[in-house]
Amino acid sequence: MNSDVSLKWMNEAFNYAEDALKEGEVPVGCVLVYKNKEKLSNGRNKVNETKNATRHAELVAIDNAIKMVTSDSWSQSLPNDWKFTDVFEHCVMYVTVEPCIMCCGAMRAMKIPLVVFGCNNERFGGCGSVLSLHSNQELNSSLGPVISTYGGQQTVRAIKLLKDFYKQDNPNTEASVD
């Protein structure tokens, strides 16, 4: 893996994580890169904004990528028998925090072969911290091929963003007093 290329895309993912933090979201950002050359899509957490627990950065990026690859500009340049997952098989996902179990399952379903991430996700990590969903070969028939991972990229930076988020008040939670 080219470390200069990896650093470029990780820095961009961190930009989206910082945007998420400014919007009161858990600061996770990601970039989905096609053939390690071209940004296909990006995402940042939008859980609080949408009140939808599935709007993690990775799923937002996957949804944005599907819109892109099914658009006329992309699909015209591909063979007639292509499936949109064919594009994902040539992508790398760069994300600031280890993908959770849900996101890891989605990445396998989309056949994304490699994820590069910042810090571990000790509560919900699907790439080894809690479950090794990324590499469980028994799930190949139901989820898709295993995912290679490359973690620990700018861990201190990722953890700092998370700490900054958890220090602030979350306006989307209400304390109930009986």
Side-chain angles (χ1 to χ4, degrees):
M1 168 169 288
N2 183 327
S3 61
D4 290 338
V5 171
S6 180
L7 180 62
K8 170 188 172 182
W9 297 119
M10 281 302 292
N11 282 335
E12 189 162 338
F14 274 104
N15 290 339
Y16 294 112
E18 290 163 359
D19 290 345
L21 180 62
K22 289 175 191 168
E23 296 298 322
E25 298 284 348
V26 176
V28 179
C30 76
V31 178
L32 191 60
V33 180
Y34 180 66
K35 294 188 175 180
N36 224 18
K37 295 178 186 172
E38 174 185 355
K39 180 172 82 171
L40 179 59
S41 69
N42 59 270
R44 67 163 180 83
N45 271 12
K46 293 186 175 191
V47 171
N48 290 334
E49 175 185 327
T50 62
K51 309 275 191 265
N52 181 339
T54 68
R55 298 294 69 207
H56 290 194
E58 300 93 331
L59 296 182
V60 170
I62 289 170
D63 287 349
N64 290 340
I66 291 170
K67 289 175 192 167
M68 174 66 77
V69 301
T70 57
S71 69
D72 287 340
S73 62
W74 259 78
S75 58
Q76 288 175 356
S77 65
L78 298 168
N80 288 337
D81 62 345
W82 80 283
K83 301 180 295 291
F84 63 82
T85 55
D86 295 342
V87 173
F88 287 93
E89 291 174 6
H90 301 283
C91 289
V92 176
M93 182 169 283
Y94 294 87
V95 61
T96 58
V97 176
E98 175 188 358
C100 72
I101 296 162
M102 172 183 67
C103 292
C104 190
M107 289 187 299
R108 281 191 69 172
M110 299 310 294
K111 301 180 181 174
I112 297 170
L114 175 63
V115 61
V116 178
F117 63 88
C119 66
N120 290 345
N121 183 343
E122 299 296 337
R123 289 182 170 174
F124 308 108
C127 296
S129 289
V130 175
L131 288 177
S132 295
L133 190 62
H134 71 295
S135 62
N136 185 329
Q137 293 186 358
E138 294 174 12
L139 299 172
N140 285 6
S141 62
S142 61
L143 276 183
V146 299
I147 299 170
S148 296
T149 60
Y150 189 63
Q153 304 306 297
Q154 301 185 48
T155 300
V156 172
R157 186 176 179 188
I159 291 171
K160 182 186 180 317
L161 281 173
L162 291 169
K163 284 181 177 179
D164 289 348
F165 173 77
Y166 288 110
K167 279 188 224 173
Q168 64 189 11
D169 289 331
N170 185 345
N172 295 297
T173 60
E174 296 177 336
S176 61
V177 178
D178 291 282

